[in-house]
Amino acid sequence: NAGVTQTPKFRILKIGQSMTLQCAQDMNHNYMYWYRQDPGMGLKLIYYSVGAGITDKGEVPNGYNVSRSTTEDFPLRLELAAPSQTSVYFCASRTTTASNEKLFFGSGTQLSVL
Amino acid sequence: DQQVKQNSPSLSVQEGRISILNCDYTNSMFDYFLWYKKYPAEGPTFLISISSIKDKNEDGRFTVFLNKSAKHLSLHIVPSQPGDSAVYFCALAGSARQLTFGSGTQLTVLP
């Protein structure tokens, strides 16, 4: 059981480039999330999805896009990379059980925009 | 405007002693409280949680205390072990069922 898998683990982008961070889970979770963690800060929610075909903005969505065509996959797209997007990105998922907020996280993607 | 604060960026404790990590919040609408542990180069992993109807939850060496009137959450680790050295995040859920995270506390347990 792999859990939540993120690729790539590391990436360096030039300003203005685009890329997609991949996230896949094999736990049949309906809820999936993208967070970013800046140094010395907590995790901030970028986008989330409550099921295939449904996505919504979190606290810091600007500069990002997401799609959810299947239950398993939830890719995060950066269209025009900026230095402010240098961060560690975490994907997470959870069940839809009421009052169960426990998230399962991937191992993260370290992104640098230079 | 931080809704969730972990005011101690770091904490060092001797092996075998108690570690106490603290978390303060401002929004009384939070009703579910979690602690996550994070090792370097890994994602956070769930440690323990508590709902607002309780004031204590225990799981082995880990106990979470909730003081709703003070809007204060704490995690006690007894006895502390070197393998507990990690960053600990508190995370709070409100009516939107989204988690708001604190900035984390780096715990170092000295052998």
Side-chain angles (χ1 to χ4, degrees):
Chain A
N1 192 340
V4 180
T5 302
Q6 288 184 240
T7 56
K9 290 192 182 300
F10 305 95
R11 185 72 185 267
I12 298 174
L13 286 181
K14 294 182 178 179
I15 295 171
Q17 285 185 320
S18 62
M19 78 162 294
T20 300
L21 283 68
Q22 301 291 345
C23 175
Q25 54 90 10
D26 61 2
M27 297 174 283
N28 201 31
H29 286 169
N30 280 331
Y31 286 32
M32 295 188 74
Y33 304 82
W34 275 105
Y35 288 89
R36 59 177 285 174
Q37 185 193 10
D38 299 327
M41 304 292 286
L43 283 73
K44 293 191 182 299
L45 182 64
I46 305 171
Y47 269 96
Y48 67 99
S49 169
V50 300
I54 306 170
T55 63
D56 210 343
K57 296 178 180 179
E59 183 182 358
V60 290
N62 292 342
Y64 307 94
N65 277 300
V66 293
S67 60
R68 185 90 183 273
S69 57
T70 67
T71 299
E72 295 77 21
D73 299 299
F74 190 39
L76 178 72
R77 179 83 177 161
L78 283 71
E79 290 294 350
L80 291 171
S84 61
Q85 294 177 304
T86 294
S87 190
V88 181
Y89 291 83
F90 292 102
C91 179
S93 70
R94 72 169 177 92
T95 70
T96 54
T97 304
S99 299
N100 182 356
E101 320 301 336
K102 186 170 91 173
L103 297 181
F104 294 83
F105 283 87
S107 58
T109 296
Q110 172 76 62
L111 176 67
S112 296
V113 182
L114 305 175
Chain B
D1 180 25
Q2 286 183 283
Q3 295 190 71
V4 181
K5 290 184 179 180
Q6 292 180 254
N7 289 318
S8 297
S10 63
L11 174 68
S12 291
V13 172
Q14 207 69 35
E15 181 178 5
R17 306 295 292 269
I18 184 172
S19 295
I20 300 177
L21 297 100
N22 295 303
C23 178
D24 295 294
Y25 60 97
T26 56
N27 188 343
S28 59
M29 297 302 292
F30 289 127
D31 61 3
Y32 198 77
F33 307 85
L34 305 90
W35 283 95
Y36 281 83
K37 180 168 72 173
K38 184 183 179 305
Y39 293 118
E42 295 184 10
T45 55
F46 171 77
L47 189 57
I48 193 170
S49 63
I50 188 169
S51 72
S52 59
I53 62 173
K54 295 184 176 181
D55 55 18
K56 176 182 175 181
N57 187 28
E58 192 171 351
D59 183 2
R61 297 186 296 114
F62 302 91
T63 303
V64 56
F65 295 91
L66 176 62
N67 183 332
K68 289 190 292 293
S69 61
K71 296 189 179 67
H72 180 78
L73 182 73
S74 64
L75 174 69
H76 293 207
I77 306 174
V78 182
S80 301
Q81 299 174 353
D84 296 329
S85 297
V87 177
Y88 289 79
F89 293 97
C90 60
L92 284 60
S95 57
R97 313 325 301 168
Q98 306 302 334
L99 291 184
T100 301
F101 284 82
S103 55
T105 296
Q106 171 71 59
L107 173 66
T108 302
V109 180
L110 304 168

